[in-house]
Each structure stands twice: as C-alpha cells, then as structure tokens.
Amino acid sequence: MLQIRDLTFSRDGRRLLDGASVVVPGGHRVGLVGRNGTGKTTLFSLIRGELPTEGGDIALPAQARIGGVAQEVPSSATTLLDTVLAADEERAALLAEAEHAEDPHRIAEIQTRLVDIDAHSAEARAAAILSGLGFDEAAQARTCAEFSGGWRMRVALAAVLFAAPDLLLLDEPTNYLDLEGTVWLESFLARYPHTMLVISHDRALLNRSVGAILHLRDGKLTLYRGAYDTFDHQRRAQAEQQQALAKKQAAERAHIQRFVDRFRYKASKARQAQSRLKMLARMQPINVAGDPEVAPFRFQAPDELSPPLLSFDGVAVGYDAQPVLRDLSLRIDPDDRIALLGANGEGKSTLAKLLAGVLAPLAGDVVKSSKLRIGYFAQHMLEGLHADETPLQHIQRVRPEEKPATLRARLAGGGIDASLAERVVARLSGGQRARLALLLATLDAPHLLILDEPTNHLDVESREALIHALTDYSGAVILISHDSYLVECVADRLWLVNDGRVAPWEQDMAAYRDMLLARQGLRVRRADRKEAKTQARPSSGDLARLKADVSRCEVRVAKLEEMRAQIDARLADPALYDSFSSDRVTALEQKRAEVVDGLDRAEALWLAAQERLEAAEQAPTA
C-alpha cells in the first residue's frame, strides 16, 4: 500500500503539491495524469526519497522495493542480457554467494531461496522482456556500448521490469519505444503483479494497462477507479454538474438580490429584506473547477494541387549505396492520411526522409508536383533548436522580412503566447519546444506534412488539440507514431514497412495489434472486442471527431468531383481539338483517370466514415 498524507511541496516559488492525500492499495496499477508542469515527476522523486517534503508524509510497507527508470544504462562492455539479469540484485548476490559457500545449511538456504524467486528461469524471462522491447537474440548478446542512448533507455526499462519491484514507478515509458514496443509494454503492464504508478499521456496505454487513474490538479490528488476513458467521462460529468449547479445558484442569487433591491427601504418589508441579505451572505459560491484551455494548433491551409503529390516507381533508398527499402511503387494524393507501421529499424524514418527529400533515391523514378511544399517534423529537430535563442529569434531567422507583430501572431497561432515568445529555448518545457518545432515545420503551409513521433512531449489535452488540427488540415499527412489512439483518429490508410518493402495494411489497428501480440506469443484479449461492441454511447468529443471525419471526407469527394467536372469540360471543348495536340489530350485523359481513381477511394472512405458515425449515434446510452 502507498499512502500519501497532506503532502506539500513547492518549487521555484510555485506550490506543486498542496495538502495532497491519497491511498493506493497494494497490487493496484494506476496511471498518474495531469497537465505538463503540474508536478507528476516531482511526486515520483518525493516517493523515492530524492527530495525532502515540506509537509506531510509518504508511507510504504517496510522493506518495500521501489524501482523506476531514472536514466539510460551506461555504455559498457556488458551484454544486454547480463545487464538486465544484474538488475535482480538478490539473485545476483545469491548466485555469487553460492559459488563460495561451504556450510551445507547455508547452501540449502540459498538454493531454496533461488527456487522461491524462480532464479533458474531468469535468463528466459530477461530474454523475453528484451525481445518484447525490440532486441532480438543477436542484439541481446551485444554490449551496451554498441547501442545509442535511446536504445540503452530501452535496456534500462527492461532491467526494471525484470527486477519486478514492489512499487514500480514509470515516467513516460513509451517515449523511447515504437508502436510495436508500446503494444508489448501495454500487455506486460496489464499483468504486472505488484503496485504500479505510471505517468503517461498515451491514452491507449492508460486504457489497456491500468485499473485506476490518479489525477494531479491544483496541488491535489484524486483517485478514480477505471481506465482513462472512464476517468475522462467522470471528470466531464462532474464539470457539467458543477456548471449546472453554479448556473442555478447564480439565478437564485439574482432573484434574492432583486427582492432586496426592491424592498430593503420599505418598512413593511425591511425584515424580509434583511433576512434575504443574510441568506446571500451564507451562500457559498460554487467553484466551477476546470483546467485552463489548451492552446490549439493552427496549420495554414495549402493551396490546391492536382493529384498525385508524389509517386514512386521501382524506387530504392538507403545509406552509403546500401538500400534499406527497395521496389517502392507508391503514390500520395492531396488529403491522404497515411500512418506508417513497422518495427524500429525496418525503415519508417528512412521512408519519411525519402518523402521529405532529405534522402535521394538510389534507384527508380520519383515524380512530384513542381509546386509541392513539404513540412517535416522529426524528434531530432527538437535537439536542433538553439538553446540560447528565443522562439521569436527562431522564426525571425526563417521569416526575416516580416514584422515582429506578425511573427508574434504566428507564434500565438502555434500555442506559444507572448510570455514564451522571448524566453530562451533552454527554459521551455518539452511540450513548448515541440510546439515551436511543429510551427517551424508548417510555416510555409505545406501540401504534405510528415510527422515522425510528434507527441512525445505533449500531454493528453495537447495531443487532442493536435488531432483536431490534423483532422481539419487540408494537406496530406504521413504519420509515424507509437500512439495508437492518434493513429486511429488521424489516419485513414496504413502502410506496413517490413522486410525492405512497403505495402498497404488492409486491416485496422486492432488487427495489427492482435497480430503483434500473437507474434510475441501473448494472448489476444478477445474480451476487448466484445466490450467494444457493447460499450456505451461515445462521448460528445468522440462524436465530434467522427462528424469531423465525415465532413472532411465530404469535402474531399466534392473537390475531386469538381476536378473531374473541370477536366470533362475541357475534354468536351471543341477548341481543344481545333489546334489538335495528342499530347495535351492524352495528358488530360490520364489526369481524369487519376482523379476518377482518387474519387473511388475517397467515396469508399466517406461511406466507411459515415457508417462509423451512424454506429456511434445508435449505440446505447450509458
């Protein structure tokens, strides 16, 4: 059991925890949520005893082992497998003692304890965890020094999962995982046998891996039973109820005040007026608690281009003349929403760099619109920001001809307000840096926006804002993300990058997740599907997203129909044939065929979106 009583803590003059109290029963798996900067990571440091409390206390069972991923494992000559095995300190100490013990009684005790902790299956368990996080058998035998920092973070995560502490503290564990590793981690954490607290903004993980949500807001902790969607529904219902009560109270106060104003100076009514004044004084105003509004993302709409934006025929791409991907025959049209699936190392980022023009093809033909503008966001771009410069200076470098007022307006449109515009990047949060990088990537209103893990530093609300912006965006989007909720909300096509090839994944994300779990030897929870079919009516936010999907599909169909009508009109114009040019006619006929093909696909997506909306609207009310 974890018990927090009246916990108080301040940092930089700001009160992060203000008399916070909560009891987390033993064995519970809990997601810790709250806006960026509210003190979630600080709470973990207080639980671990790394920071002194200003008031209150934190109680844990005696001898309870606390584990978490503080930093990446060091670069060393130790193999990955041995690094993970060493995380179980009791097992390592017992094995070391067994090599030198001579007392038969002590030897028996050691062997009994090794059996109790299942030490003999340790290598198999450690290997399974490393495999789930993306390390094959050959990689497990390599040394830590051979891997980059991001991969060593995975090793550190594997080590703490293998050690299985009594209280597991995980702070954004999916930030350095791909979708495949995230799916495995969701399943592993859902079966974790001890108490767990995980800070995460990954809605899918919080729905599949925890049974309660601990919400940190205004310095207080509130525990909600159920997964994230249940918490979100309860919180919205509470806010609506508070608003209704506050509105009712305001009407009642106004009614009483009118009586007082009318009769307070009349002798016959003075007593009643005074009574009502006292009633007003006793009425405690109902505080409508609510999180501050999240700044939206606003992406400028690009001008229209005829399809396709990009097409590849027999293309190969790689590094140092060694292809990573080959035989690529792909096409991207305006308004396409494509998510790239596949394990790390299969070539998703390589394909993104090819699409962005960062990598040149090694072979094959690439055709792109002459006016095509591409926006590219990748994680390394956050590292490329100048730590000693402000957001205003960053955007001035790109748009030196624009006035400061215009540049500030652009920053505000990206969620960077006046208080942040002249703050150096080193003092910005990860989410604020991500907003700046996204703004710089979309400054020129790109026709094609390529996003490689855009959500790593964004909280749940900011991720929702990004989903809304991408839904409204009229350009094409290529998305790489470990956040399956983001993929499901944004993408209408899936491409699987695997074994040097890229091919459409014709099924949905649920089928892809099932395939990954089956491949990893984990049981697929068919109950999830049954629950999905019988779930209550979606929230108003979910319905709004479905309606937005339908609207976006309708707009796309209308645009393509208009393009087809314009081409038909040109082909029907006799003047085209007066100065007969077979090349012009052939080009128009080819463009018409492309538009008709795109229209067929757009209509299919429209029908599918309409069916999803109708099914949601007909779902039973909770």
Side-chain angles (χ1 to χ4, degrees):
M1 176 187 294
L2 168 64
Q3 189 168 4
I4 298 173
R5 291 184 292 261
D6 298 322
L7 190 62
T8 301
F9 187 83
S10 301
R11 172 167 283 172
D12 297 329
R14 187 163 66 95
R15 185 63 61 89
L16 295 177
L17 295 160
D18 187 9
S21 298
V22 73
V23 174
V24 177
H28 276 50
R29 298 182 301 277
V30 179
L32 176 58
V33 302
R35 291 286 180 85
N36 283 341
T38 53
K40 301 185 296 296
T41 300
T42 299
L43 178 59
F44 273 18
S45 296
L46 291 166
I47 292 173
R48 285 193 292 258
E50 298 169 352
L51 293 173
T53 65
E54 295 176 3
D57 62 89
I58 300 171
L60 283 164
Q63 307 302 317
R65 296 177 302 127
I66 304 174
V69 184
Q71 57 187 1
E72 67 190 44
V73 300
S75 174
S76 69
T78 307
T79 67
L80 303 191
L81 185 60
D82 287 340
T83 299
V84 173
L85 288 170
D88 188 342
E89 296 178 358
E90 182 184 10
R91 172 184 173 276
L94 288 170
L95 290 175
E97 185 181 356
E99 292 182 2
H100 307 288
E102 296 180 355
D103 181 2
H105 294 290
R106 181 54 187 158
I107 293 173
E109 290 175 353
I110 292 171
Q111 294 303 319
T112 299
R113 183 56 184 161
L114 287 172
V115 170
D116 289 342
I117 64 175
D118 200 15
H120 300 293
S121 68
E123 286 197 17
R125 288 187 284 112
I129 292 172
L130 283 167
S131 176
L133 293 175
F135 299 98
D136 60 21
E137 188 174 350
Q140 295 173 26
R142 293 165 60 190
T143 66
C144 292
E146 298 177 62
F147 292 88
S148 65
W151 285 97
R152 293 205 300 273
M153 285 297 296
R154 292 192 185 207
V155 179
L157 176 60
V160 73
L161 295 180
F162 173 74
D166 302 304
L167 175 59
L168 176 63
L169 304 177
L170 296 178
D171 192 345
E172 291 289 357
T174 62
N175 271 5
Y176 34 85
L177 299 181
D178 56 9
L179 179 60
E180 285 67 19
T182 299
V183 168
W184 177 88
L185 183 64
E186 289 171 0
S187 180
F188 185 93
L189 295 183
R191 296 176 285 113
Y192 192 72
H194 308 303
T195 307
M196 176 186 77
L197 274 179
V198 55
I199 298 172
S200 181
H201 299 303
D202 189 322
R203 190 166 184 150
L205 182 143
L206 293 172
N207 276 327
R208 296 188 178 114
S209 303
V210 304
I213 297 294
L214 183 59
H215 189 207
L216 174 56
R217 187 180 69 181
D218 298 332
K220 304 295 185 183
L221 290 166
T222 307
L223 188 66
Y224 294 80
R225 296 195 178 276
Y228 185 86
D229 282 351
T230 302
F231 152 75
D232 192 39
H233 177 75
Q234 290 177 350
R235 187 180 55 156
R236 290 175 189 276
Q238 289 172 358
E240 291 173 0
Q241 185 179 28
Q242 281 184 317
Q243 289 173 351
L245 289 173
K247 185 177 180 180
K248 182 178 179 181
Q249 186 191 64
E252 186 177 354
R253 291 179 68 92
H255 175 74
I256 295 173
Q257 188 65 53
R258 284 195 298 271
F259 181 92
V260 171
D261 293 342
R262 183 179 178 186
F263 296 113
R264 67 189 307 175
Y265 299 113
K266 289 189 176 183
S268 61
K269 298 287 186 181
R271 182 175 297 176
Q272 292 93 325
Q274 287 298 318
S275 175
R276 281 163 174 75
L277 276 174
K278 292 178 181 179
M279 187 185 301
L280 277 176
R282 288 195 301 269
M283 290 177 68
Q284 294 295 323
I286 295 175
N287 181 30
V288 180
D291 291 321
E293 288 293 322
V294 173
F297 292 90
R298 296 190 183 96
F299 301 145
Q300 283 186 282
D303 50 305
E304 293 186 18
L305 292 181
S306 300
L309 299 179
L310 270 174
S311 64
F312 298 148
D313 185 15
V315 168
V317 63
Y319 307 90
D320 300 325
Q322 296 297 318
V324 174
L325 301 171
R326 59 187 72 84
D327 296 330
L328 301 181
S329 294
L330 307 169
R331 169 186 170 131
I332 299 174
D333 289 333
D335 288 350
D336 264 342
R337 299 288 194 276
I338 302 169
L340 305 184
L341 308 178
N344 266 4
E346 290 289 350
K348 298 190 300 296
S349 293
T350 299
L351 177 58
K353 291 175 183 177
L354 172 67
L355 296 173
V358 176
L359 284 178
L362 301 175
D365 297 319
V366 177
V367 177
K368 70 175 182 177
S369 173
S370 59
K371 297 181 180 180
L372 177 64
R373 294 190 301 273
I374 298 174
Y376 179 42
F377 174 93
Q379 283 302 298
H380 66 80
M381 292 181 177
L382 272 70
E383 301 167 5
L385 296 174
H386 300 275
D388 58 344
E389 291 187 4
T390 66
L392 186 59
Q393 290 172 319
H394 278 82
I395 198 170
Q396 279 175 330
R397 186 184 296 109
V398 182
R399 293 290 176 87
E401 74 285 357
E402 293 189 356
K403 295 180 180 180
T406 302
L407 298 177
R408 290 177 184 275
R410 289 187 182 276
L411 289 170
I416 301 172
D417 60 26
S419 66
L420 302 175
E422 297 195 48
R423 182 182 297 179
V424 295
V425 165
R427 293 183 55 218
L428 297 179
S429 69
Q432 290 160 352
R433 295 183 196 186
R435 282 181 175 271
L436 175 58
L438 275 167
L439 175 62
L440 293 173
T442 58
L443 203 56
D444 293 325
H447 303 94
L448 172 61
L449 180 57
I450 302 168
L451 302 175
D452 191 347
E453 296 293 356
T455 62
N456 274 0
H457 300 282
L458 300 180
D459 57 27
V460 176
E461 292 81 7
S462 294
R463 293 184 186 202
E464 293 281 354
L466 179 60
I467 288 171
H468 284 296
L470 292 175
T471 300
D472 294 337
Y473 183 58
S474 58
V477 176
I478 303 294
L479 178 64
I480 303 172
S481 179
H482 66 261
D483 187 334
S484 59
Y485 180 76
L486 175 72
V487 171
E488 289 172 336
C489 288
V490 172
D492 51 31
R493 297 172 64 193
L494 303 173
W495 285 356
L496 179 60
V497 183
N498 184 50
D499 196 25
R501 301 286 193 277
V502 179
W505 176 261
E506 301 295 352
Q507 302 179 72
D508 60 10
M509 280 298 296
Y512 184 68
R513 181 175 181 272
D514 286 355
M515 183 270 288
L516 291 176
L517 292 175
R519 180 188 296 171
Q520 294 162 353
L522 299 172
R523 181 173 57 87
V524 177
R525 287 192 60 203
R526 298 296 174 187
D528 289 346
R529 299 294 184 82
K530 183 177 180 181
E531 289 167 6
K533 291 179 181 178
T534 59
Q535 65 184 356
R537 182 182 178 88
S539 67
S540 58
D542 291 333
L543 285 173
R545 282 190 291 274
L546 290 172
K547 290 177 181 177
D549 286 345
V550 172
S551 178
R552 178 166 55 83
C553 290
E554 289 174 345
V555 169
R556 185 179 185 189
V557 168
K559 286 181 180 179
L560 289 170
E561 286 178 338
E562 182 180 358
M563 291 174 65
R564 183 181 62 180
Q566 291 172 350
I567 295 172
D568 286 345
R570 292 180 64 185
L571 287 171
D573 185 3
L576 177 67
Y577 305 96
D578 287 343
S579 54
F580 183 74
S581 170
S582 60
D583 289 341
R584 288 183 64 193
V585 174
T586 302
L588 280 173
E589 289 175 342
Q590 183 177 358
K591 181 178 283 189
R592 187 185 190 281
E594 291 173 352
V595 170
V596 169
D597 178 62
L599 182 58
D600 289 341
R601 289 192 288 116
E603 287 176 341
L605 292 172
W606 182 18
L607 289 173
Q610 189 66 46
E611 288 173 358
R612 289 195 296 270
L613 176 60
E614 290 173 356
E617 289 176 334
Q618 294 170 7
T621 303

